[in-house]
Amino acid sequence: MPVADLLHLSGAPRAALRGLVARDRVAIETVESPRRPASLEMALEPLETVTPTEDQARVIEAIQGSLEARVFAPFLLHGVTGSGKTEIYLRAIEAVVASGRRALYLVPEIGLTPLLARRMRSRFGEVLALLHSGLTEGERYDEWRRIRDGKADVVLGARSAVFAPIPGLGLIVVDEEHDASFKQEEHPRYNGRDLAILRGKLAKTVVILGSATPSMETFLQARRGRYRLLSLPGRIGRAGLPPVELVDMRREFEEVGRETVLSRRLLAGLEERLRRSEQSLVLLNRRGFSTFVLCRTCGEQIQCRHCSIPMTLHLRRRRLNCHYCDDTRPVPAACPACGSEHLHFGGTGTERLEDVLKTALPGARVERLDRDTARGRGSVERLLTRVERGEVDILLGTQMIAKGHDFPNVTLVGVVAADALLGLPDFRAGERAFQLLSQVAGRSGRGDRAGEVIVQAYYADHHAIRYACDHDYVGFAARELTYRRAMNYPPYAALAVLLVKGRVFERAREEAEGIARTLRGLAGRRIQVLGPAPAPFERLRGDYRVQILVKAPNRKDLQAIVADTLQALDRIKLNVQNLVIDIDPMSTL
Ligand SMILES: [Zn+2]
Ligand SMILES: [Zn+2]
C-alpha cells in the first residue's frame, strides 16, 4: 500500500506505525520461513576481504549481542567521518538477514548517495528493495508489494520508508540521523528518525542511529543512558583526520587591499593539488551568481513579489530567482523603485565561484554541483561517477557535495564563507553550521594520502566554527547543550511553533494575538508562551507570517496545552483559517 494511503487511512503517522507493527505480528506467521540457517557467526565472517579494525570489531560485537536477544535496543553509533560506519551497518544487516529476519536502512536522500545504492545492490542483489522519491507511483507500488510479500530482506529508503510494511523486522538503521531531511515539513509532519525509534520499540528490534555529528536530541539521550553509545573515534585510512586551517578573511582583506572570493592560501592549496593530480572540493552553500541586488542610488534591495526574501541573480539563465517560492523575473536594467541604472549585484553564489575558479586556474577541470546543475534524472550520479573516475579536478557546490561521498583522491576541501552558515536567527543555526563543516571536512584525506581543509570566514570566532576546525564534537556538544539549557530550547524543552498565515498582516496578527491569549489563559507555570511576533521570514509565497513559540517541560504537556487551546478556540468560535502547528520544529524561521 502506498505511504499516502496508509497515512490517510489511519490519520496520523504515529497511529499508522502502530497499526503497521500490529499487522506485522500477524503477517510474520504467514510469510514463508527463512531460507538460511539462523547462524549469526556465519554472517559475521569476513565478506568483501575487509577485515574490521579493532574499534569496528568491538562495535559489531556489542550490536550482535542485542540482535541475538531480539529486544528493543537503541544505539547511537558516533563515528568520525571515514571511520567505517557503513561497514558496521552492512554487517549488522547481514547478521539479521542470516537469522531469518529483515532490515530497514534509512538514509536522508538516496539521490545524493548513488554510490551507496550501488554498493548495497552489489552486496544484496535481488533481495534489496529501494524506496525513493525518484520512483513513479507504479514503481513505488511494485516495490511496496514486494516488501509486503516478504520478497525483500533489506529495504533501503528515505524517510517515508519508515512506514514500509516489512514482515519480521529485526533491525532499523538510521544513517546521518542528524539530517534535517528526516523531518517532513508538510502535512502530515513527522520525523522519520523519531518514528524509527518508535517502530523499533513496538516491534522489539535493534535501532542504530549513526552520525559523525549526532543531533543534540540523540546525544542527550545517549548521555542520559537511554541509548547505548558506541564510538568509532579514529579513521580507517592511514592518514587520520585532516588538519583544518582557518583563514580570517578580515585580515586577508587588510593584506590584499581588496575583496576576494578565494584567499591566497586556498588558491595555493588548489594549485598544489593540480600539480599532484589530486582532487579538491570547494563548498559554498549559496547557489546562483549574486545573492542580492541593491540600488546604489536609493538603497532599495530587490525582493521577491511574494516573499520577504532578496532575489538571487542566476546569470546562466539570465533571471532573478526567489529561492523560497521559485518565482523568477527578468534581470532589470534599472531600479524598480527609482529608475536609477546604478544597480549593484552583490554577494557570491556558486555560479560566480565557478567563474572565479576557472579564471584563476585555467586548465583545471571544474564542475559545479547544486540544485541548478542537479536537475534531470541521473545527473547527480553521472557527475559523481566522473569525480570518482578522476575526470574532475575541482568539484564545487552547495551542501550537496558534503553528503557521505567517499572519494579517496580528494585531499583538499575548501570552505568559502563558513560564517554565512550562521547567518539565520535560529536556535539550531550553530548546530547546523557545525554539522555541515564537519561533514564537508570529512571528505578530505579518506584514502591513504593525508588530507587538508581550509576554511574561510569573516566571523571566525563563533564556537561552531572553532570546534569544527578542531574536530571536537564532544566539546561542541557540551557548549551547545549549555546554551540550549540556559535558553530553555530543545532537547531540554519540548517546543511548538504556532504559525498564523494570511494575505493581510493585521488580520494575521490579530488572530495570533487571540491564540496567544488563549494559550496564556490555559498555561500553568511550567509552560512558556512567547509572542506573537512576525516570523524571521515575515512573508513567504504571498502570506504574512506571525508566530507564537510554546515551550513545555516535556512533549506530553506540550501536546496537552496545544490540544486544549484548539478546543478553546473552537468554543469561542475564533476562526483561524491558516494556523500551522509544528511540534519539534527543525527551525523557527
Ligand atoms: Zn533605486
Ligand atoms: Zn518568493
Side-chain angles (χ1 to χ4, degrees):
M1 188 183 297
V3 185
D5 293 1
L6 194 72
L7 292 177
H8 285 149
L9 277 181
S10 45
R14 278 171 185 264
L17 215 52
R18 280 181 217 284
L20 193 63
V21 172
R23 214 186 45 175
D24 267 8
R25 291 212 184 100
V26 181
I28 193 171
E29 311 293 329
T30 61
V31 166
E32 61 176 294
S33 57
R35 295 160 299 280
R36 291 180 199 77
S39 156
L40 286 171
E41 282 74 16
M42 205 177 102
L44 287 171
E45 270 169 21
L47 299 139
E48 290 205 327
T49 62
V50 187
T51 313
T53 62
E54 247 173 64
D55 284 333
Q56 282 179 317
R58 180 175 44 74
V59 165
I60 291 166
E61 200 184 304
I63 295 171
Q64 189 186 355
S66 294
L67 283 175
E68 282 168 0
R70 301 194 178 212
V71 290
F72 170 56
F75 292 93
L76 165 59
L77 175 58
H78 175 218
V80 299
T81 54
S83 60
K85 291 188 290 294
T86 310
E87 189 58 29
I88 302 282
Y89 306 147
L90 296 188
R91 279 169 188 262
I93 291 170
E94 276 162 348
V96 87
V97 169
S99 73
R101 287 170 296 162
R102 298 189 170 81
L104 170 63
Y105 185 174
L106 298 176
V107 293
E109 289 157 277
I110 293 183
L112 290 180
T113 46
L115 304 183
L116 173 70
R118 209 191 296 159
R119 188 170 165 191
M120 291 287 287
R121 230 178 264 129
S122 75
R123 198 128 155 184
F124 296 102
E126 290 269 290
V127 294
L128 175 73
L130 223 66
L131 291 172
H132 58 85
S133 58
L135 298 180
T136 64
E137 276 292 304
E139 286 167 337
R140 175 170 288 265
Y141 181 78
D142 288 345
E143 282 297 73
W144 209 258
R145 205 168 48 182
R146 214 158 67 81
I147 294 166
R148 191 199 55 197
D149 294 346
K151 289 178 180 142
D153 290 341
V154 185
V155 177
L156 173 65
R159 63 174 179 246
S160 67
V162 76
F163 299 107
I166 307 167
L169 186 64
L171 169 70
I172 305 175
V173 172
V174 184
D175 191 20
E176 311 290 357
E177 65 83 27
H178 63 274
D179 198 293
S181 41
F182 281 116
K183 175 82 189 271
Q184 170 147 309
E185 292 292 2
E186 63 243 35
H187 188 74
R189 285 169 192 264
Y190 66 89
N191 188 317
R193 176 203 56 210
D194 297 346
L195 289 187
I197 288 286
L198 179 65
R199 185 164 186 180
K201 203 183 245 172
L202 295 170
K204 298 194 176 63
T205 74
V206 168
V207 182
I208 307 172
L209 306 182
S211 177
T213 53
S215 64
M216 291 302 114
E217 281 80 359
T218 299
F219 188 66
L220 188 63
Q221 293 285 35
R223 223 168 65 170
R224 287 174 171 166
R226 292 187 194 145
Y227 301 167
R228 185 162 165 204
L229 178 65
L230 303 171
S231 299
L232 294 172
R235 276 194 163 181
I236 293 182
R238 261 177 298 173
L241 283 167
V244 184
E245 191 179 329
L246 191 56
V247 177
D248 186 331
M249 292 302 278
R250 292 168 297 193
R251 189 182 297 168
E252 183 79 7
F253 176 75
E254 249 174 55
E255 289 173 12
V256 179
R258 65 189 161 82
E259 200 81 26
T260 52
V261 175
L262 294 179
S263 63
R264 292 161 298 173
R265 182 66 192 86
L266 180 53
L267 192 59
L270 292 167
E271 280 167 346
E272 196 184 323
R273 294 319 180 287
L274 287 172
R275 272 198 304 277
R276 301 205 308 231
S277 299
E278 293 171 5
Q279 292 168 298
S280 305
L281 300 185
V282 183
L283 170 80
L284 171 58
N285 203 29
R286 293 184 299 213
R287 63 197 172 90
F289 191 84
S290 329
T291 53
F292 63 90
V293 187
L294 189 77
C295 172
R296 286 196 194 274
T297 305
C298 74
E300 178 91 358
Q301 195 181 62
I302 298 187
Q303 291 209 334
C304 173
R305 284 170 287 191
H306 316 290
C307 311
S308 55
I309 299 285
M311 297 289 274
T312 300
L313 170 68
H314 287 252
L315 202 60
R316 312 278 193 275
R317 284 188 279 153
R318 309 212 163 275
R319 307 286 285 179
L320 295 185
N321 177 227
C322 169
H323 285 179
Y324 276 83
C325 71
D326 210 29
D327 189 31
T328 64
R329 61 165 116 162
V331 182
C335 170
C338 76
S340 161
E341 288 172 12
H342 299 289
L343 292 178
H344 169 62
F345 294 87
T348 300
T350 46
E351 273 191 16
R352 194 201 294 258
L353 176 62
E354 183 183 5
D355 290 357
V356 168
L357 285 167
K358 282 178 171 166
T359 308
L361 303 160
R365 296 165 299 173
V366 177
E367 294 286 347
R368 172 163 60 95
L369 175 60
D370 56 29
R371 286 228 319 266
D372 296 311
T373 64
R375 289 171 207 263
R377 202 169 167 153
S379 55
V380 175
E381 178 155 14
R382 275 195 300 277
L383 178 54
L384 294 176
T385 304
R386 289 183 51 217
V387 177
E388 200 187 10
R389 286 189 191 142
E391 294 166 19
V392 174
D393 297 314
I394 301 172
L395 178 69
L396 77 117
T398 56
Q399 56 181 330
M400 291 170 85
I401 68 166
K403 303 271 174 182
H405 312 306
D406 197 354
F407 304 122
N409 200 35
V410 169
T411 58
L412 174 63
V413 164
V415 180
V416 175
D419 39 357
L421 306 172
L422 298 161
L424 299 170
D426 182 68
F427 74 98
R428 288 192 211 268
E431 183 182 355
R432 289 247 176 75
F434 178 85
Q435 285 163 349
L436 182 53
L437 282 173
S438 305
Q439 292 292 338
V440 76
R443 303 309 111 207
S444 183
R446 295 172 74 91
D448 287 333
R449 265 167 294 188
E452 180 178 40
V453 182
I454 297 169
V455 173
Q456 298 183 177
Y458 281 94
Y459 177 39
D461 305 320
H462 193 280
H463 71 275
I465 295 179
R466 290 279 166 193
Y467 282 111
C469 289
D470 289 342
H471 300 294
D472 185 1
Y473 170 80
V474 174
F476 170 78
R479 167 96 189 240
E480 184 69 18
L481 286 172
T482 305
Y483 153 75
R484 301 282 183 90
R485 181 153 54 192
M487 302 298 289
N488 195 28
Y489 270 121
Y492 291 99
L495 178 69
V497 173
L498 278 69
L499 180 75
V500 181
K501 299 195 287 186
R503 297 278 147 176
V504 183
F505 175 74
E506 281 71 25
R507 174 129 186 238
R509 198 191 53 201
E510 275 167 31
E511 286 179 349
E513 276 166 1
I515 296 169
R517 261 196 308 277
T518 310
L519 273 166
R520 289 202 168 91
L522 292 166
R525 266 185 314 169
R526 284 148 51 87
I527 309 272
Q528 216 183 337
V529 179
L530 304 169
F537 294 154
E538 198 175 329
R539 191 165 168 253
L540 287 180
R541 296 180 183 90
D543 281 329
Y544 287 94
R545 307 162 80 244
V546 181
Q547 68 185 19
I548 305 158
L549 265 55
V550 184
K551 294 176 182 175
N554 57 59
R555 207 180 161 129
K556 209 171 139 213
D557 288 0
L558 184 71
Q559 275 165 339
I561 177 110
V562 170
D564 290 352
T565 301
L566 289 178
Q567 271 186 4
L569 291 175
D570 213 35
R571 271 200 302 279
I572 60 170
K573 304 242 181 315
L574 188 89
N575 186 18
V576 182
Q577 291 290 331
N578 294 310
L579 174 65
V580 176
I581 299 169
D582 190 359
I583 307 246
D584 297 338
M586 292 314 281
S587 77
T588 53
L589 297 172

